[in-house]
Amino acid sequence: MTLMRFWYLPVIAALLAFGAWEKVRADKATAINDRAVEAVAVVYGWSDGRTIARDQVPIAIQRLGTTITDTRRAREQAARLDAENINRVRNAQDAITKDVVDDYEARIAAARGRADALRLQLDAQARADPGGGGDAPVPGLRDAAARIDETAGEGGLSVAERLIATETALRLIALQAWIEAQAGLHPDGMGSSSPAR
């Protein structure tokens, strides 16, 4: 019966053990929190590593929040500036391409015009002098003379072959101008944005 009288002793002992356990756990959590606050204080230069006062914790948290906000704003501004720079570079590249293509097309049109004029000149010469100096024209010689003039132009090239060579040369010149202008365009905005000719 004596055991029944002191039934509460094991309960009290269990509650004391539980309380002691919770105190140890709370002390550990506080120690960890204090170390974290000290680390933040050292990183931000608020302390030289010694324990900081508890009233400085809200200040440290506020400064950390401010730093996070400032970092977010700086990241957003950098993203906006990057997007603007990408648009600027694309616009400059498009302008370079348009300038080079316009110049190339103008030169090709001029070369084709000169080739057409040369063809007409050769045809007129063939019609004006069909025999090349004899009294009686030889039948069929007029067409042969025109073909000879057509195939034996300057450098042994026909008008069509000269036009192809000129177009190829102009294409390469335009490509070189485009490459030089694109290479001179710097993404950081320090380069030229006009095509080199």
Side-chain angles (χ1 to χ4, degrees):
M1 286 281 228
T2 22
L3 288 176
M4 292 281 238
R5 231 158 107 195
F6 300 107
W7 65 268
Y8 55 87
L9 287 179
V11 173
I12 291 176
L15 287 174
L16 287 174
F18 181 73
W21 171 254
E22 284 297 315
K23 172 78 172 129
V24 168
R25 234 180 75 194
D27 288 346
K28 272 187 174 180
T30 302
I32 290 171
N33 189 26
D34 288 345
R35 283 195 301 260
V37 169
E38 287 173 24
V40 168
V42 169
V43 167
Y44 283 96
W46 304 323
S47 171
D48 58 2
R50 294 185 298 263
T51 306
I52 61 174
R54 285 259 181 230
D55 60 344
Q56 289 180 321
V57 172
I59 296 169
I61 291 172
Q62 180 184 10
R63 287 183 180 171
L64 182 61
T66 302
T67 301
I68 291 170
T69 303
D70 291 346
T71 303
R72 184 178 303 124
R73 283 186 189 138
R75 187 179 63 232
E76 290 168 356
Q77 181 181 8
R80 183 182 50 77
L81 291 174
D82 283 346
E84 289 174 3
N85 192 42
I86 287 170
N87 287 336
R88 182 194 57 78
V89 169
R90 281 186 184 152
N91 290 340
Q93 288 174 335
D94 290 344
I96 289 168
T97 300
K98 183 183 179 317
D99 289 348
V100 170
V101 167
D102 290 348
D103 182 56
Y104 167 74
E105 288 174 349
R107 289 180 183 205
I108 287 290
R112 288 178 180 161
R114 286 190 305 269
D116 289 341
L118 183 58
R119 268 193 210 104
L120 291 175
Q121 180 185 0
L122 290 175
D123 285 345
Q125 285 177 356
R127 277 192 220 108
D129 188 16
D135 289 336
V138 179
L141 190 59
R142 175 179 166 191
D143 295 333
R147 281 189 303 248
I148 289 172
D149 281 342
E150 178 70 22
T151 58
E154 289 180 24
L157 297 176
S158 69
V159 174
E161 290 170 331
R162 283 189 269 174
L163 179 60
I164 290 170
T166 301
E167 287 178 350
T168 303
L170 290 175
R171 192 172 297 121
L172 292 174
I173 290 168
L175 179 61
Q176 288 173 345
W178 182 83
I179 290 171
E180 288 174 5
Q182 292 289 339
L185 180 66
H186 295 282
D188 59 3
M190 302 300 285
S192 168
S193 63
S194 62
R197 302 239 167 116

